[in-house]
Amino acid sequence: MTTELIRLLAFLVGIIAFAALNAAYLVWVERKGAAHFQRRIGPKEVGPYGLLQPLADGAKLMSKQLLIPDGVDPILFKIAPLMVLVPAVMSFVTIPFGEHLAARNIDLGLLMVFAFASINVLGLLLGSWGSANKYAVIAAARVISQNIAYEIPMLLTAIALVMATNTMNLNEMVSLQGGGFWHWNLIKLTFTASPLTPIAFLIFFTTMLAETNRAPFDMAEAESELVAGSFTEYSGMGFGVFFMGEYANIVIGAALTTVLFLGGWQSPLPFLPNSVVWFLMKMYVIIFTVVWIRWTFPRTQFYALLNLSWKVLIPISLVNLIVTAGWLKVF
Amino acid sequence: MGLAKIKQALAELAVTETIEVSKTVPAPPAAEGEEQGKPVEVKEMIEQNMLFTPEYAKKGYHLDVKVTAENVARSAKILLDHEFFLESITGVDWIKENQIEIVYDFNHWHTLCRVVIRTRTDRANPEVPTISEIYSGANWHERETHDFFGVTFTGHPDLSPLLLPEDADYHPLLKDFKA
Amino acid sequence: MSADVIDKSLETFVLNLGPQHPATHGVLRVKLTMDGEYIVHAEPVLGYIHRMHEKMGENRTWAQFMPNTGRLDYLAALSYNHGYAMAAERAEGIEVPERAEYIRCITVELNRIASHLLWFGAFVLDLGGFTPLLYAFDDREQILDLLESVTGARLTFCYFRFGGVYNDIDDNFITGTREFIKRLRSRMPMYHDLVTNNIILIKRLKGIGPISQEMCRRYGATGPVLRGSGVNFDVRKHEPYSVYPEFDFDIPVYTDCDSMARYMVRMDEMEQSMRIIEQGLDKLPEGPVMAAKAPKILKPAKGDYYCAVEAARGSFGIRLVSDGTNTPYRLKLRSPTFSNLSLFAEACQGMLLPDALALMGTLDLVIPEIDR
Amino acid sequence: MAYFNELYSGTKSLFIGMGITIKEFFKPVVTLQYPHESLTMTARFRGHIELVRDLESGGNKCIVCGMCQKACPSGCITGNGEKREGVKGKVLTEYTLDFTKCSLCGMCVESCKPAAIQFSKDYNLAGPSREAYIYDLLKRLEEQK
C-alpha cells in the first residue's frame, strides 16, 4: 500500500513537473519556431539560444500585478485560469509514457482524458464571463459552440478506434501497435483496422487543434478581432496560468494523438528497443506540426469553422465509424 | 456623356453675376478727315453667366459652375444623374469679401470631365443646404467643412465634429483663426 | 414573452473597436452596435491624429509644404509628393524634364509595390495569419533600401521638387531595381500558393463585404476598392499625367465586388507596377533631373488649380488656391481613404464582426491620411 | 461532387501552404541582430544635420547667411554670428538644431550655398530627455576633431 502511495506521489510530482516544464518550454518552441518560419532568430539573449527565456517570462509574469478590474466577478475571475490548467495536468495521469511509465493504468483511460479535456472550455467560459468584457464574452460564446461542434467528430473517430482495438486502456492500445510502424493505427496494414484510419487520423488531428483552441481555430484568442478574446482582462500570472493551461492542453492533445495513432512508446522498427524516447519524439513531432500550422494559416471564419465540423468532419467520421464496423464484421 | 451635355444641363443653374471685364474695343469708325484710331481698352460691367470651361491643362478641371446656395442640391442631383461621383467638398475663406466659398469637386469614371460647383455664402452666418441625401459620401465631407469653416449644412443629419475633438468650438481654417 | 415586450436596447450592445485595436491599424475607432456578433450599426470616429496639415500649408511657403505631403500617407509618400509637386507645377507652369518624370514614375511605382506589400502582410495579419507579413516585409525592405539609396529616407522620402527631383538615380539603383523585380516576380507565385489559393482565405473573402458600383459612386470611392467593384477607373489611365502614357500597362479590374476582388486587384497591381518600372528603366532618357528655369520661390498666379494622382489607395487630389503670394491661400487635400472609409458604415451593416474586419482590411486604411 | 472537389482542392492548398513555410523554416534568417550588428548608412542617408569641416581652416564653412533658417519648415535651426576684426564676413558663434521639431526634410542642406551643412549618418538616437535633442552643432564639430 505504501509503495503504491509513494509511486503515485512520485508520478504526481513527475507529471506536474513534466506538464509545467513542457508548457513553459512550448512557449520557447513556439517563439523560436515562429521566428524561423518567418526567417527571424527569435529569443536569443537570455541564455544560449534563448533557452532561459521561459524563466525570464515567468519571472516577469509573476512580478506583475494581478489586476482585477472593476465590475469583475473576483471569484470566477481567479478560479478560471486554474480550471484550465488543473484538468490538463490531471489528464496526464493516464498517459502511458513508456511500457511501465504511467501514473495510473486505468482501464477507461481514454474516457478519462476526454472527460478532463472538456472541463477546459468551462474554465474559459467562466473566465470570460467573470471578466465582464464584451470581447471576452464573444470569445466565450465562440469557444463553447466550437468545442461542442468538435467534440463530436473527435469522439466518433476515437470510438472507431476503440471498436477496432477493443479497449479503452491507453497502455493496452499502445501494446497492440507493436512490431514496427506498419502496425501503428495510422497505417495499420492488417485487416483489423479499417482502411480509412489515415483519414481518421487527419480528422482527429484537426479536432485536436480545434479542441485546444489552436490556430487556425483560435477563436478563444482571435487577437486581430477580439483583442485577446477570453484573456483580454487578464494580467500577470492570471494570464500566465491560462497560457500554461493552453500549452498543457496541446501537450495532452499531442500525447493522445501519439498514443492512439502513432504507437506511443513503440519503436518504429521491430529491431529497435521500445522506449519512452520514441514516445517523446513522436509527441514533439506532433507539437512541432501544431506550431507549424499556426504559423502558416490565417484564422478560419467562425461559421466556416462550424461548417467544417458539421458538414465535413462529422459526416466523414460517421462514414469512418460505419466502415470500421463493417470491416470488423467482415474480417 | 459629354462635356457639352453636362454644360447644358447645368447652364440654367449657374448664377449671373455682374463682373468687370476689360476688353479691347475697336476704335470708333474714323470720321471724315480724321485718321483711323487705335483700338482702345475699356472696362465694362457686364452680366455674365458664371459657367466656365477653363483650360484643363492649366486648371486641372473642365467645368466651373457658380451657383447660388439653393441650387447646390439641384446641381448635385443633375451630376448624380449623369453618373458623376463626388471627389470632395471644401471651403475657402475669402475674408476680404466677407464670404465663404464652398467648392464641390466632381469627377466621372468613364469620361474625362471634372466639374467644379462653387457657391458663396455669408461669412458671418454661413449656411448651405446639404447634399448628403444625394451623395452619401458628402456626409463626412460636409462635417469636415463644418469643422474647419463653421459652415452649417442645413438638413445634414449630424454635424458633430468629425476630425476635430468632440468639444471643439473653433474653426481652424478661417483666416482669422490663430492657434 | 411577446416580441413587442422585449426591450430592443437590451438586445444590442455597443462595442468599442479601437482606437487601440489590433485590426484598426493606427488610431481609428469604430463604435459598433452589435446584436450578438452581427453588426447593427457602425460609426467610425475619426480625428485621433488630426494635425491640420491644411492650415500648416497656409502658413509656410509652397516648397516648405512638401515634407508634409509625405506624412499624409506614410506608406506611399512618393505618390503624395508627386501630386503636390504636379499641382504646384501646374499652377506655376513649370515644365519638368523628361528624365525627372521617368524617375518620378519609377520611384512612385516602387513605392506603390512597397505599399501593397505592406497592405498584403497586414491584411493577412488581420485574418490571423502572421507569417506572410514577415515575408512581405522582407521584400518591402529591399524596396526601402533602394529608395533610401536614392532619396536618403526610408519612409517620408520628400524626394520631388518643383521642376524635377532632388537627386539623380545611379547605376546601382537601376541594377538593384532590376534585380528586385526579378526577385519579386519569383516570390509572387509563393505568395499566391501560401495565401491566395489557401482555402481558409478563400472562404473568408469570397462573397464577403460586397460593395456595389452604385455605392462606390455615392461615396466617391476610388482606387482598388472601386476597381474591385468592376469599374475601370485609374487616374493614371483616365487622366494621364507625367509619362504614364508612355508605358504599356493594364488596370486590373475584378467584377465580383467582394473582398477577394479587392485583394486580387492589389495583388495584380504589383505585377503591373513591375511592368511600368521595367519599361521606365528601359526607356530612361539622359538629361537633367531639374528644370533649368524652375524658380526658387514659387508665386503662382491667382486662381485655383486641381491636380490628381493615382496613389496606392486611390485618387489623391489636391486643390490649390493661390492669391499670388509665396504661401498657398488654401490647400485642400482630397485623400482617397477618407471617402473609402466613409462607405464602411453602410457596407458593414448586418455583417459578422470578423467579416467586417476583413472588409475593413480590404479598404486599406492609413489613418494619418484620413485624419490629415 | 463539387463538395468533394472543394474538399480535395482545399486540403491540397493547405498542404501546399505548409510546404512553403517548412521550406522557409530551413532557409537562413534575414534579420540583422540590431544591437550587435548595425548597418552602414547609404551615402545619401538623411540624418540630422551637422556642420561641415572646412579642411583649410579646420573650422566651419558657415557664412551666417540665414538661408537654412528661412528654408526650414519647422523653424528648428538657430544660427547666430558676429563681425570679427580681420575676418571677412561674419563668424558663426552659435548653431543649434532643435531635433525635436526637425522632420528631416533636408531643405536646409539644399538651401545652403557654401555647403556648410550636411547630413550626419547617426541613427542610434536615443536620449533621456527632451533637452538631449537640442544639438549644439558647433560644439559637435569641435568634439569631432
Side-chain angles (χ1 to χ4, degrees):
Chain A
M1 188 62 211
T2 34
T3 47
E4 178 71 355
L5 205 66
I6 289 167
R7 186 186 129 91
L8 211 62
L9 271 176
F11 267 108
L12 203 64
V13 170
I15 281 164
I16 291 174
F18 180 78
L21 199 73
N22 261 294
Y25 271 89
L26 262 185
V27 179
W28 178 86
V29 168
E30 179 110 71
R31 288 176 65 176
K32 210 71 178 166
H36 280 279
F37 279 120
Q38 298 162 355
R39 303 186 66 185
R40 300 181 283 119
I41 285 187
K44 70 183 266 284
E45 294 294 325
V46 193
Y49 302 103
L51 272 171
L52 298 179
Q53 188 69 42
L55 294 182
D57 286 349
K60 187 198 84 172
L61 285 175
M62 273 185 233
S63 64
K64 273 185 158 181
Q65 184 193 3
L66 186 62
L67 194 77
I68 298 180
D70 271 357
V72 155
D73 185 326
I75 299 169
L76 291 186
F77 191 73
K78 283 180 198 157
I79 284 180
L82 290 175
M83 283 191 64
V84 175
L85 180 63
V86 173
V89 174
M90 291 309 289
S91 302
F92 278 105
V93 167
T94 58
I95 300 287
F97 290 90
E99 199 165 357
H100 305 290
L101 203 65
R104 278 305 247 184
N105 196 359
I106 303 169
D107 277 346
L108 292 177
L110 187 61
L111 213 56
M112 185 184 146
V113 174
F114 281 126
F116 275 118
S118 45
I119 298 179
N120 147 44
V121 65
L122 208 60
L124 282 178
L125 172 68
L126 290 184
S128 308
W129 183 255
S131 56
N133 180 299
K134 288 165 189 169
Y135 288 113
V137 173
I138 293 180
R142 288 180 176 192
V143 168
I144 294 288
S145 42
Q146 172 186 345
N147 271 267
I148 290 170
Y150 278 80
E151 222 144 79
I152 298 167
M154 190 179 214
L155 286 171
L156 284 176
T157 41
I159 287 170
L161 266 186
V162 170
M163 272 161 50
T165 52
N166 256 328
T167 175
M168 275 202 184
N169 183 324
L170 293 177
N171 206 6
E172 226 168 275
M173 212 172 252
V174 175
S175 309
L176 286 172
Q177 300 178 56
F181 64 86
W182 54 91
H183 289 285
W184 295 355
N185 280 341
L186 172 62
I187 38 164
K188 204 158 192 172
L189 296 180
T190 56
F191 290 117
T192 47
S194 87
L196 284 180
T197 35
I199 292 175
F201 170 74
L202 276 184
I203 294 176
F204 189 84
F205 186 73
T206 317
T207 51
M208 191 269 283
L209 284 180
E211 285 285 295
T212 51
N213 296 321
R214 283 294 298 195
F217 308 111
D218 54 341
M219 290 298 137
E221 200 185 346
E223 79 279 344
S224 59
E225 297 158 18
L226 303 178
V227 189
S230 302
F231 319 126
T232 309
E233 296 289 349
Y234 280 90
S235 63
M237 222 35 214
F239 184 76
V241 170
F242 252 133
F243 258 79
M244 296 256 291
E246 292 281 293
Y247 281 108
N249 268 323
I250 294 163
V251 179
I252 284 289
L256 199 61
T257 317
T258 309
V259 167
L260 292 184
F261 288 95
L262 300 179
W265 35 263
Q266 302 278 8
S267 74
L269 296 166
F271 53 84
L272 294 172
N274 299 333
S275 119
V276 64
V277 177
W278 293 119
F279 178 87
L280 291 178
M281 265 171 68
K282 289 168 192 172
M283 192 182 87
Y284 286 124
V285 167
I286 296 277
I287 288 176
F288 177 78
T289 315
V290 170
V291 171
W292 179 11
I293 286 176
R294 165 151 185 202
W295 299 106
T296 302
F297 299 131
R299 184 180 309 110
T300 53
Q301 168 52 283
F302 182 57
Y303 51 75
L305 173 139
L306 292 184
N307 278 348
L308 178 68
S309 173
W310 294 104
K311 289 187 184 166
V312 179
L313 298 182
I314 292 180
I316 293 181
S317 50
L318 273 174
V319 168
N320 174 44
L321 189 67
I322 293 163
V323 169
T324 310
W327 197 266
L328 290 172
K329 191 82 193 154
V330 173
F331 295 97
Chain B
M1 214 302 303
L3 178 59
K5 208 167 147 197
I6 190 71
K7 196 173 165 185
Q8 195 190 354
L10 290 171
E12 59 173 298
L13 292 178
V15 293
T16 13
E17 236 174 49
T18 322
I19 52 164
E20 195 184 70
V21 280
S22 40
K23 53 180 179 179
T24 4
V25 194
E32 244 174 84
E34 275 180 45
E35 218 180 300
Q36 172 76 43
K38 279 184 185 165
V40 282
E41 205 165 273
V42 291
K43 296 223 160 155
E44 202 181 303
M45 303 295 277
I46 58 158
E47 293 261 304
Q48 197 188 318
N49 186 285
M50 297 298 283
L51 179 130
F52 303 107
T53 40
E55 193 193 337
Y56 168 71
K58 182 77 193 143
K59 288 289 203 176
Y61 47 87
H62 300 85
L63 194 63
D64 185 337
V65 192
K66 193 169 176 188
V67 299
T68 57
E70 300 85 70
N71 276 335
V72 167
R74 267 179 72 198
S75 358
K77 189 84 189 70
I78 290 171
L79 287 164
L80 180 68
D81 291 342
H82 286 83
E83 301 193 328
F84 277 80
F85 71 93
L86 177 72
E87 285 235 351
S88 69
I89 300 176
T90 188
V92 185
D93 179 19
W94 297 105
I95 189 164
K96 280 186 197 143
E97 291 142 58
N98 209 17
Q99 278 179 326
I100 287 178
E101 184 177 64
I102 315 293
V103 186
Y104 301 77
D105 281 297
F106 292 92
N107 195 0
H108 198 272
W109 287 339
H110 306 298
T111 325
L112 181 57
C113 183
R114 283 185 186 275
V115 179
V116 178
I117 304 279
R118 35 179 113 230
T119 183
R120 290 204 177 198
T121 169
D122 184 27
R123 198 170 176 277
N125 185 25
E127 261 193 15
V128 177
T130 179
I131 62 163
S132 60
E133 278 144 28
I134 300 160
Y135 281 98
S136 323
N139 188 321
W140 280 17
H141 288 294
E142 285 176 354
R143 267 175 83 183
E144 182 198 305
T145 313
H146 177 257
D147 281 11
F148 293 170
F149 293 93
V151 179
T152 310
F153 289 88
T154 45
H156 190 285
D158 169 29
L159 276 177
S160 61
L162 179 70
L163 295 177
L164 295 184
E166 49 202 18
D167 55 351
D169 54 356
Y170 43 86
H171 304 292
L173 276 182
L174 293 176
K175 286 284 171 187
D176 50 4
F177 174 84
K178 293 278 176 282
Chain C
M1 200 162 21
S2 68
D4 51 292
V5 182
I6 299 168
D7 183 358
K8 278 282 174 217
S9 66
L10 290 179
E11 290 199 347
T12 58
F13 61 95
V14 174
L15 190 69
N16 232 329
L17 196 80
Q20 306 295 334
H21 185 280
T24 54
H25 297 291
V27 282
L28 171 69
R29 173 177 159 218
V30 188
K31 247 168 87 181
L32 295 169
T33 310
M34 309 276 295
D35 179 6
E37 271 208 60
Y38 286 94
I39 295 170
V40 178
H41 179 75
E43 187 196 344
V45 181
L46 311 179
Y48 285 91
I49 35 171
H50 173 58
R51 293 151 293 172
M52 201 72 256
H53 276 299
E54 293 172 17
K55 186 78 179 176
M56 272 191 243
E58 292 175 17
N59 289 317
R60 35 183 74 178
T61 64
W62 293 89
Q64 281 178 343
F65 187 68
M66 185 59 92
N68 287 51
T69 55
R71 282 159 176 84
L72 294 168
D73 178 354
Y74 50 81
L75 297 179
L78 280 175
S79 299
Y80 289 70
N81 286 171
H82 198 184
Y84 179 60
M86 271 171 47
E89 281 155 8
R90 175 172 271 169
E92 183 76 24
I94 304 171
E95 282 282 319
V96 182
E98 213 185 0
R99 185 179 171 87
E101 288 284 19
Y102 270 90
I103 294 174
R104 281 182 179 185
C105 285
I106 292 167
T107 47
V108 163
E109 292 305 321
L110 271 176
N111 202 189
R112 188 188 310 277
I113 297 178
S115 167
H116 281 348
L117 276 173
L118 187 135
W119 165 81
F120 164 77
F123 177 58
V124 181
L125 183 66
D126 278 355
L127 302 181
F130 203 108
T131 304
L133 172 81
L134 274 292
Y135 296 166
F137 261 64
D138 186 12
D139 284 335
R140 182 171 172 267
E141 280 303 297
Q142 313 293 322
I143 299 180
L144 295 191
D145 284 346
L146 285 169
L147 289 177
E148 188 194 357
S149 74
V150 179
T151 67
R154 294 176 75 82
L155 204 64
T156 47
F157 304 105
C158 191
Y159 176 49
F160 301 156
R161 296 290 181 272
F162 305 136
V165 296
Y166 173 41
N167 274 326
D168 200 354
I169 57 176
D170 52 14
D171 288 341
N172 280 342
F173 174 80
I174 295 175
T175 48
T177 309
R178 284 191 196 279
E179 266 164 38
F180 167 75
I181 288 181
K182 228 162 133 191
R183 174 197 157 108
L184 188 61
R185 283 245 164 84
S186 67
R187 297 265 285 186
M188 286 311 274
M190 186 271 272
Y191 288 138
H192 285 303
D193 281 343
L194 179 62
V195 180
T196 314
N197 299 330
N198 186 298
I199 181 77
I200 300 176
L201 188 103
I202 294 174
K203 287 269 175 204
R204 285 207 65 172
L205 298 186
K206 265 256 150 64
I208 301 298
I211 298 176
S212 67
Q213 285 193 13
E214 181 264 348
M215 197 159 152
C216 284
R217 180 179 295 118
R218 275 192 291 116
Y219 281 98
T222 48
V225 176
L226 181 60
R227 291 193 284 277
S229 294
V231 179
N232 189 344
F233 175 81
D234 185 312
V235 184
R236 286 174 295 174
K237 285 269 189 201
H238 182 72
E239 200 175 347
Y241 57 93
S242 196
V243 283
Y244 280 110
E246 311 284 317
F247 299 128
D248 171 34
F249 66 101
D250 302 318
I251 305 296
V253 175
Y254 283 79
T255 50
D256 295 348
C257 304
D258 58 359
S259 296
M260 194 69 190
R262 294 187 282 277
Y263 170 90
M264 287 309 296
V265 165
R266 290 200 178 86
M267 295 306 275
D268 289 2
E269 255 175 36
M270 283 196 247
E271 172 56 34
Q272 297 305 326
S273 290
M274 284 193 272
R275 278 178 69 191
I276 296 176
I277 295 166
E278 276 185 328
Q279 291 170 43
L281 290 175
D282 288 341
K283 291 182 182 174
L284 188 69
E286 291 298 320
V289 292
M290 267 303 271
K293 278 185 266 170
K296 279 265 178 261
I297 294 160
L298 246 61
K299 280 186 182 172
K302 269 189 188 178
D304 55 354
Y305 309 90
Y306 194 88
C307 188
V309 290
E310 183 71 21
R313 281 154 192 82
S315 149
F316 167 65
I318 187 155
R319 165 171 291 282
L320 302 178
V321 181
S322 170
D323 60 349
T325 60
N326 64 350
T327 54
Y329 187 77
R330 172 85 177 94
L331 200 145
K332 160 75 185 171
L333 306 162
R334 189 262 179 206
S335 64
T337 32
F338 184 83
S339 299
N340 291 359
L341 176 65
S342 65
L343 59 73
F344 176 73
E346 187 179 323
C348 76
Q349 266 178 31
M351 280 171 82
L352 281 164
L353 178 65
D355 286 345
L357 291 176
L359 165 66
M360 192 195 270
T362 58
L363 294 179
D364 193 6
L365 304 176
V366 170
I367 311 301
E369 187 211 27
I370 298 170
D371 285 354
R372 281 161 291 148
Chain D
M1 208 58 227
Y3 172 84
F4 289 104
N5 263 340
E6 195 183 12
L7 207 62
Y8 171 73
S9 63
T11 318
K12 197 175 139 197
S13 77
L14 296 180
F15 281 108
I16 289 174
M18 286 178 72
I20 288 167
T21 40
I22 199 73
K23 258 188 251 157
E24 299 286 321
F25 185 84
F26 292 107
K27 283 185 190 167
V29 294
V30 291
T31 50
L32 216 62
Q33 300 312 303
Y34 165 60
H36 308 296
E37 302 169 79
S38 54
L39 289 168
T40 47
M41 289 292 108
T42 53
R44 286 174 182 176
F45 176 73
R46 299 206 304 255
H48 68 77
I49 53 167
E50 60 184 9
L51 290 167
V52 176
R53 183 173 308 283
D54 188 355
L55 291 176
E56 280 169 36
S57 69
N60 60 67
K61 288 181 177 176
C62 183
I63 54 167
V64 204
C65 62
M67 283 309 284
C68 47
Q69 239 167 304
K70 257 184 235 157
C72 181
S74 336
C76 46
I77 299 172
T78 323
N80 270 316
E82 57 181 26
K83 283 293 288 179
R84 278 196 197 144
E85 263 179 62
V87 190
K88 216 173 108 190
K90 277 183 173 174
V91 177
L92 190 68
T93 53
E94 186 205 352
Y95 198 99
T96 47
L97 169 72
D98 184 354
F99 193 54
T100 54
K101 291 192 216 156
C102 176
S103 57
L104 295 169
C105 64
M107 298 272 169
C108 45
V109 176
E110 262 174 273
S111 71
C112 187
K113 283 263 160 54
I117 43 179
Q118 66 182 15
F119 299 115
S120 75
K121 302 281 173 272
D122 294 1
Y123 65 96
N124 284 315
L125 300 168
S129 68
R130 222 163 232 275
E131 287 69 38
Y133 295 99
I134 303 195
Y135 297 135
D136 187 343
L137 295 182
L138 258 180
K139 214 168 123 198
R140 184 186 155 93
L141 189 71
E142 288 292 310
E143 281 164 2
Q144 275 177 346
K145 261 181 192 168

